[in-house]
Amino acid sequence: MIKKILKCGIAGYGYMGEIRRAVIERHAESIELVGIFDTNDALCSKIQGTKTFRTLDELLAQGIEILFVCTPNCFSPEISIKAMALGIHVFCEKPPGRDVHDIKNIIAHEKNGVKLMFGFNHRFHPGIVKAKVIVDSGRFGRIINLRGLYGKSGGISFKKSWRNNREISGGGILLDQGIHMLDLFSHFCGDFEDVKCFTNDDFWKFAVEDNAFVILQNRKGQSALCHSSATFWKHTFRLDITMEEGYMTVEGLLSKSGSYGREKLIVANRQFEDATHAVGNPSEEVTYFDRDLSWDLEVEEFVRCILENQPVVTSSSGDALRVMEIIERAYEDAQKTSKALQSFKS
Amino acid sequence: MKNIVISDDYNAVDLKPSALLKRYIELTQEDVRQMLADPKKLQDCACPACASKDKKAAFTKFSLSYQECSNCRTLYVSPRPDDKTLNEYYQKSSARSFWRDELSKATDKKRKEKIVKPRFQWILESTREHLATAKTWIDVNTTQYSYVDAMADADIFTKKILLNPYLRVEQSRYPHLEIIQQPWWEQSLADSCDVMTLFEVVDHTSDVDGLLTAASRMLKKGGLCFLTAILSSGFDVQVLWDKADNLYPPDRLNCLTVEGFKALFAKHGFECLEFSTPGILDVEIVAKAYENNPDLSISRFVRDLIESQDEQTKRSFQEFLQSACMSSYGRILIRKKG
């Protein structure tokens, strides 16, 4: 790879901004942090070891080549567009805005030569990487269906989070966390044309959903089922992949808190009456993973695309649009169902 | 780093039928007496894993002495023959001929299904996962002909090198393999391989430091090295110790622990990507040894496990050994730091 140190900045220094800074500092051989933009004075005064800026323009004027956009959803499109207009490569956290209109707007400003990637880091989790290798090898034939459970418990501070303010976020748990699972569905199976969904907000009673049940089907006949939840009192990540000749399960997720449990991949061959094991209870191989390199790997991939002038093909704007279209259609379907239910009750 | 846990359904007899194994060990004992036991040809050595000179005598087998490293608990023969002597042994010993011509052939079908196939699946998938651009694969000193067949079929590599002075492999039969019938220490390849396989090679190498130095030289930066080995930290070796049937020189000149391997890799600039002990035979090996020798000194707990517990409990215990890296079969993937 070409050796060059790319200057970069971070817009927004919340939870994700801190994570991105740590990744940048671990990759000092290829990227250098020039400064951080955040409008929160108290937060900026605590940042040490790099310059801080109260306006985006000040940061963009520092000659940066990459901008990491780590702001709440309502600000991401405008900031990304502004940076790209100046020829700055953009790495934007998910979700890519609040709705399909936002991501389409970003894509409309995606200029030739400027790289744009989104933070779908779950694609780079070790269990997912290995599962994808096995699917692509064709060892178990084609995927028949997928089932994903992804949820967290919320908590006391959950009520105050901007993520539950529709004006800022654009949606609830499905857009915030479920988006990763839906992105993984697309990662494994491509497009899904049919989308059905139920949502509810019965427990937290925010203006956004705290549970979403999404059912998908595509023209290849593959089906997928996703339950995204803010009422999983035990934090859960589980992706089941059923194939013609076997199955895989990615369970647990290496994370900062460790609350999703140890990440593991279960792999097994399908077994019928002709095999030595009992039907429905095949022997399994379980791989346990101890290191989450997902944040590093996705940034390395982004830097590689810039230095080698290669198109972004993983977590690209096309991937972002595809998953936002699924979510928008899911919300539309949930609304229709809800109206129908209300009408039925009345 | 990751580790794996496997449940499967073969047993030790499938892979090493008792009568054939007994004959192989008898031949080995005789060959060692004739070819390796001359004290004038043996040299003292430090721990092959962590280089500590602090050791205590463990036991003697076939007149060669096993030591236990006081630092990393690796079990190793010292004094020991050098690699040239071992090379000659493996080329001329009647035990090796018996292994190649009889034991290996008798168990070939089961080995292909239960060992070779999963092992090559591991190599191909891990290569796609960690180094998708890999083109060149070198295998060093495999003892199995079925590996050579599987290697020849692995089409994700454009260049495949078999570095092996022992196997009688005809180049004409394997046009897609580059066969180099030389020992590893005479080979001058440098920065030329993406992937290397060392199946149970560390176990019977005298100069382990030299082997890892050569491996590091042959591999490109970021290159992968797949190893398998018998571990002395594994359950059956720990329980049976000197009575372990699978522990004898020179095939197990070194029997490293998990800690020993990690020290060795750190010393040679390798990063460990996977350390698994997916063995499924530990409990069965101990049970078999106890059945053959009821006077065997084993703890009450282990005796209860093998005598009184049902198959499901034994299976669960074996899975626990795997998940805790306490089985004696080690499967390791390391990467040359770049």
Side-chain angles (χ1 to χ4, degrees):
Chain A
M1 194 157 87
I2 303 154
K3 293 276 176 197
K4 190 188 171 198
I5 296 179
L6 300 164
K7 291 182 176 177
C8 70
I10 296 173
Y13 200 63
Y15 180 78
M16 287 313 304
E18 277 189 40
I19 287 178
R20 290 302 168 200
R21 181 178 181 179
V23 174
I24 292 163
E25 288 174 351
R26 285 200 293 273
H27 291 78
E29 76 289 348
S30 57
I31 33 178
E32 177 193 351
L33 183 63
V34 170
I36 294 166
F37 150 62
D38 201 294
T39 53
N40 184 328
D41 288 341
L43 186 71
C44 283
S45 65
K46 288 180 194 163
I47 297 172
Q48 293 188 337
T50 192
K51 288 181 192 166
T52 57
F53 304 95
R54 301 298 188 277
T55 68
L56 177 65
D57 289 340
E58 284 177 276
L59 174 61
L60 297 182
Q62 302 301 311
I64 60 170
E65 294 155 288
I66 299 174
L67 181 67
F68 288 89
V69 181
C70 308
T71 54
N73 311 352
C74 61
F75 305 117
S76 312
E78 189 188 338
I79 292 173
S80 301
I81 289 166
K82 200 165 189 179
M84 288 193 295
L86 295 171
I88 296 168
H89 306 294
V90 169
F91 186 100
C92 180
E93 295 303 337
K94 63 81 205 168
R98 290 171 293 182
D99 50 30
V100 169
H101 174 264
D102 277 350
I103 179 61
K104 281 187 172 169
N105 198 17
I106 295 173
I107 290 171
H109 291 82
E110 194 176 356
K111 296 199 316 187
N112 278 346
V114 173
K115 308 297 178 196
L116 172 63
M117 186 169 172
F118 291 89
F120 294 112
N121 75 308
H122 287 41
R123 289 176 176 230
F124 295 88
H125 263 266
I128 299 296
V129 170
K130 191 169 166 69
K132 186 76 166 73
V133 164
I134 292 172
V135 168
D136 291 347
S137 74
R139 174 175 151 194
F140 293 121
R142 73 174 199 103
I143 291 174
I144 298 170
N145 57 50
L146 303 167
R147 186 181 62 167
L149 298 176
Y150 199 4
K152 55 186 175 183
S153 67
I156 296 162
S157 61
F158 192 53
K159 288 187 176 182
K160 297 175 197 157
S161 171
W162 61 260
R163 288 179 169 80
N164 297 312
N165 180 336
R166 186 180 291 280
E167 289 298 307
I168 300 173
S169 65
I173 192 69
L174 181 63
L175 184 61
D176 176 43
Q177 196 181 50
I179 191 171
H180 278 301
M181 189 58 82
L182 297 176
D183 175 61
L184 291 178
F185 286 180
S186 297
H187 187 46
F188 283 101
C189 290
D191 286 326
F192 284 95
E193 290 79 14
D194 295 330
V195 181
K196 301 283 176 197
C197 180
F198 294 95
T199 60
N200 64 52
D201 57 357
D202 286 352
F203 183 81
W204 290 106
K205 302 193 190 311
F206 299 144
V208 293
E209 80 284 356
D210 55 30
N211 276 277
F213 303 83
V214 185
I215 306 169
L216 308 168
Q217 194 164 52
N218 65 20
R219 293 201 180 120
K220 291 179 273 182
Q222 295 165 314
S223 309
L225 174 69
C226 169
H227 180 191
S228 170
S229 175
T231 59
F232 277 3
W233 309 133
K234 177 178 167 56
H235 288 187
T236 302
F237 177 89
R238 182 184 170 111
L239 172 61
D240 294 312
I241 304 170
T242 306
M243 290 161 287
E244 292 167 313
E245 303 290 335
Y247 63 87
M248 292 190 285
T249 297
V250 181
E251 197 175 6
L253 202 65
L254 290 164
S255 66
K256 208 169 159 184
S257 66
S259 61
Y260 289 87
R262 195 175 178 191
E263 190 167 329
K264 64 181 178 183
L265 172 68
I266 301 166
V267 182
N269 280 294
R270 182 201 74 194
Q271 282 179 334
F272 286 160
E273 290 82 351
D274 55 342
T276 46
H277 281 257
V279 177
N281 187 25
S283 58
E284 296 180 329
E285 178 180 309
V286 187
T287 304
Y288 292 95
F289 301 94
D290 291 330
R291 281 174 73 193
D292 174 19
L293 294 174
S294 63
W295 309 109
D296 298 79
L297 290 174
E298 64 179 352
V299 168
E300 284 166 20
E301 171 65 6
F302 186 53
V303 168
R304 186 192 67 80
C305 290
I306 295 169
L307 294 179
E308 295 180 3
N309 194 24
Q310 294 292 320
V312 173
V313 292
T314 302
S315 306
S316 66
S317 55
D319 294 326
L321 175 61
R322 181 154 59 183
V323 74
M324 288 300 277
E325 282 176 341
I326 290 175
I327 289 173
E328 191 153 293
R329 290 167 67 191
Y331 282 151
E332 283 167 6
D333 189 69
Q335 218 163 27
K336 264 191 264 171
T337 314
S338 171
K339 277 179 190 165
L341 271 173
Q342 278 169 8
S343 154
F344 176 73
K345 282 178 189 167
S346 65
Chain B
M1 199 176 72
K2 62 190 177 194
N3 81 306
I4 68 152
V5 173
I6 294 173
S7 59
D8 210 333
D9 63 343
Y10 60 91
N11 56 44
V13 177
D14 288 338
L15 307 178
K16 292 175 182 169
S18 305
L20 291 176
L21 182 65
K22 188 164 174 270
R23 180 67 188 138
Y24 174 68
I25 293 173
E26 285 167 3
L27 288 169
T28 301
Q29 184 165 12
E30 181 55 25
D31 288 342
V32 168
R33 192 184 63 75
Q34 286 184 16
M35 300 167 72
L36 299 177
D38 181 357
K40 285 180 278 184
K41 291 184 180 173
L42 304 179
Q43 290 181 328
D44 271 319
C45 68
C47 171
C50 71
S52 169
K53 290 180 179 166
D54 199 3
K55 64 192 176 194
K56 54 187 176 197
F59 51 84
T60 297
K61 275 214 177 163
F62 306 170
S63 77
L64 294 177
S65 303
Y66 275 91
Q67 316 291 331
E68 186 185 10
C69 172
S70 303
N71 180 43
C72 72
R73 298 178 292 110
T74 281
L75 200 56
Y76 63 100
V77 170
S78 178
R80 59 173 51 194
D82 63 16
D83 282 310
K84 279 186 182 165
T85 311
L86 288 169
N87 185 28
E88 200 179 319
Y89 169 89
Y90 280 115
Q91 297 206 38
K92 294 181 180 168
S93 90
S94 51
R96 261 353 264 186
S97 303
F98 179 78
W99 179 281
R100 275 192 302 264
D101 301 335
E102 299 199 35
L103 204 156
S104 185
K105 281 181 185 164
T107 57
D108 189 52
K109 194 178 167 209
K110 209 72 178 176
R111 279 180 182 274
K112 269 185 185 159
E113 181 196 345
K114 297 295 182 184
I115 297 187
V116 178
K117 192 179 164 195
R119 198 171 280 183
F120 278 80
Q121 206 159 271
W122 171 51
I123 294 165
L124 299 182
E125 287 176 358
S126 298
T127 300
R128 286 193 188 104
E129 186 183 341
H130 297 287
L131 191 63
T133 55
K135 296 276 184 289
T136 308
W137 172 13
I138 184 166
D139 178 85
V140 180
N141 286 6
T142 183
T143 57
Q144 308 277 336
Y145 286 103
S146 43
Y147 287 157
V148 183
D149 294 335
M151 191 177 180
D153 291 341
D155 53 11
I156 70 162
F157 299 97
T158 51
K159 186 175 182 183
K160 291 168 280 190
I161 304 167
L162 189 69
L163 181 60
N164 198 312
Y166 315 131
L167 288 188
R168 288 160 202 153
V169 184
E170 287 168 29
Q171 181 71 70
S172 58
R173 199 180 147 199
Y174 297 102
H176 301 301
L177 291 184
E178 185 179 330
I179 298 167
I180 305 174
Q181 290 187 311
Q182 275 182 347
W184 55 263
W185 63 87
E186 286 179 9
Q187 187 46 241
S188 58
L189 286 169
D191 287 325
S192 51
C193 303
D194 299 301
V195 168
M196 173 179 281
T197 43
L198 295 171
F199 297 143
E200 296 179 32
V201 177
V202 169
D203 302 30
H204 57 85
T205 294
S206 183
D207 180 8
V208 175
D209 259 333
L211 175 69
L212 268 283
T213 302
S216 180
R217 189 191 67 238
M218 287 186 230
L219 282 168
K220 294 176 190 169
K221 279 182 185 172
L224 304 173
C225 182
F226 296 81
L227 302 96
T228 58
I230 297 298
L231 303 169
S232 63
S233 45
F235 178 75
D236 57 311
V237 176
Q238 283 295 312
V239 171
L240 298 173
W241 205 234
D242 57 319
K243 305 288 189 304
D245 271 350
N246 56 354
L247 199 63
Y248 47 83
D251 292 3
R252 309 286 175 225
L253 205 60
N254 311 300
C255 203
L256 277 65
T257 56
V258 174
E259 295 87 340
F261 262 117
K262 287 182 178 172
L264 182 67
F265 299 147
K267 186 167 58 172
H268 288 275
F270 285 102
E271 172 193 8
C272 197
L273 299 177
E274 177 186 338
F275 205 121
S276 306
T277 67
I280 62 169
L281 299 174
D282 298 64
V283 176
E284 186 195 321
I285 287 170
V286 171
K288 192 61 97 183
Y290 186 62
E291 187 186 308
N292 293 339
N293 178 9
D295 296 330
L296 199 65
S297 169
I298 54 174
S299 73
R300 290 175 60 88
F301 172 78
V302 174
R303 194 163 62 239
D304 183 69
L305 173 72
I306 59 178
E307 277 192 331
S308 310
Q309 300 301 325
D310 60 21
E311 285 309 308
Q312 184 53 49
T313 305
K314 288 177 191 170
R315 194 177 281 250
S316 299
F317 187 76
Q318 185 67 48
E319 284 179 12
F320 160 75
L321 294 177
Q322 292 184 19
S323 65
C325 273
M326 290 172 72
S327 164
S328 64
Y329 168 61
R331 166 183 133 162
I332 309 159
L333 172 58
I334 54 177
R335 175 163 60 192
K336 181 178 170 180
K337 287 181 185 168

